[in-house]
Amino acid sequence: MSSGRGRAPGKLILCGEHAVVYGHPAIALPLELATDIELARCEGPTRLLGAEPDARLAEALRRALPERGFALTVASDVPIGRGMGSSAALSVALVRAQADLEGASLPHGAVVARALELEAVFHGRPSGVDVEVSARGEPIRFWRGPPARIEPLPLPAGALVALDSGAGADTAEMVAGVAERRPAVDRALDAIGALVQVCTDVLGDPEALGPLLTENHRLLCEVGVSTSRLDELVALACGAGALGAKLSGSGGGGVVLALARDPEPILRAAAHVGVQAWCCVSEDS
Ligand code: MEV
């Protein structure tokens, strides 16, 4: 075989981001948005076709592939820098494309281990939750390792709407900022960890889950990772009938996630003020 293909989805964190870095659980959901990679053997230096890689992607490719002999095509509809797992999806898709090219069938653990090495280029020392949910393609509760502990979960009932802040999020920077604010923020991180347990118990009950998500956002504000724009989007979604809303991912930018029985009023309210929003997880999908 002269080329190999790999595909992996993006993700959203329902609750528990940042606390998961310190051993607490987080709940993560795969998205339908995904990254596809085609990897082919070729003459000359290893290169990305159709785009100029930024510094981090170039470093990830350098780690993943020999200096010469490969051409790579990346097609992705996972928004970059929005806390939606674009680098994890890229890492998992690349590992899968390599395995496909070699005609190898990698066990899940090996996919995750290799993808984590690549994701570290983008995120410093990630907890691993993004790679794990992308590689599994199913909702999970995740505790960082080693060894990581993973529990498959059902999708939450209701619809989840993502509202784009329009600002990029740098996960490595945000995680480093939280580390600097410890131990002052440890109580908020512990409270987020406890909240994830309660959320797990009410995944099927949007009216109970919604306020817990809003509480998770308040705690993330205490941790120092929200912005006035993200707070405005939480208020916008709740004012339009969301049962609860929170930033999702590293904060500092990225998206707000709103839980609703009916996503339409939130989508309309967002469109009215020029905010890009889309329904990304729904029990009907
Ligand atoms: C990023 O999607 C989630 C964070 O908790 C970082 C991590 O878990 O590595 C902010």
Side-chain angles (χ1 to χ4, degrees):
M1 190 194 288
S2 60
S3 78
R5 288 168 197 272
R7 180 177 174 83
K11 69 89 185 55
L12 278 172
I13 302 224
L14 183 70
C15 52
E17 52 273 269
H18 287 292
V20 69
V21 173
Y22 299 101
H24 295 293
I27 297 178
L29 316 169
L31 294 171
E32 279 175 20
L33 306 174
T35 296
D36 287 283
I37 290 187
E38 184 166 356
L39 185 64
R41 294 192 205 281
C42 70
E43 298 293 314
T46 291
R47 57 196 175 271
L48 179 68
L49 301 177
E52 205 41 55
D54 66 15
R56 288 182 189 177
L57 178 54
E59 171 60 16
L61 297 183
R62 200 188 56 72
R63 281 200 200 183
L65 298 166
E67 239 173 79
R68 300 181 68 78
F70 292 91
L72 183 89
T73 315
V74 180
S76 181
D77 48 19
V78 184
I80 293 174
R82 291 295 193 268
M84 298 177 83
S86 60
S87 48
L90 182 106
S91 303
V92 173
L94 181 52
V95 170
R96 286 184 171 153
Q98 270 183 299
D100 190 40
L101 181 63
E102 288 157 13
S105 153
L106 282 187
H108 172 79
V111 172
V112 168
R114 282 201 202 171
L116 270 176
E117 282 171 25
L118 299 183
E119 209 214 4
V121 175
F122 298 95
H123 286 179
R125 284 187 64 245
S127 67
V129 62
D130 292 10
V131 159
E132 190 67 50
V133 71
S134 179
R136 282 179 183 260
E138 64 179 356
I140 54 169
R141 184 155 57 142
F142 174 95
W143 293 256
R144 89 174 297 170
R149 189 172 138 213
I150 295 109
E151 211 175 80
L153 291 176
L155 271 180
L160 286 167
V161 175
L163 298 100
D164 190 353
S165 70
D170 187 316
T171 302
E173 226 174 72
M174 298 308 294
V175 169
V178 174
E180 276 168 27
R181 288 189 286 282
R182 294 185 71 213
V185 297
D186 281 359
R187 257 183 40 172
L189 292 169
D190 292 349
I192 291 172
L195 200 63
V196 172
Q197 177 59 53
V198 190
C199 289
T200 310
D201 295 338
V202 296
L203 281 180
D205 180 354
E207 275 72 19
L209 181 59
L212 298 174
L213 298 184
T214 309
E215 172 62 7
N216 192 164
H217 182 76
R218 194 190 64 71
L219 290 165
L220 286 166
C221 292
E222 275 184 29
V223 173
V225 295
S226 191
T227 63
S228 51
R229 184 66 180 147
L230 292 168
D231 297 345
E232 278 166 21
L233 292 180
V234 167
L236 174 84
C238 292
L243 298 163
K246 63 179 278 291
L247 72 85
S248 178
S250 67
V255 293
V256 155
L257 196 59
L259 177 69
R261 282 273 180 203
D262 176 8
E264 286 310 320
I266 301 165
L267 294 171
R268 273 199 304 275
H272 187 67
V273 292
V275 168
Q276 203 197 347
W278 63 101
C279 186
C280 48
V281 177
S282 130
E283 38 191 352
D284 309 326
S285 66

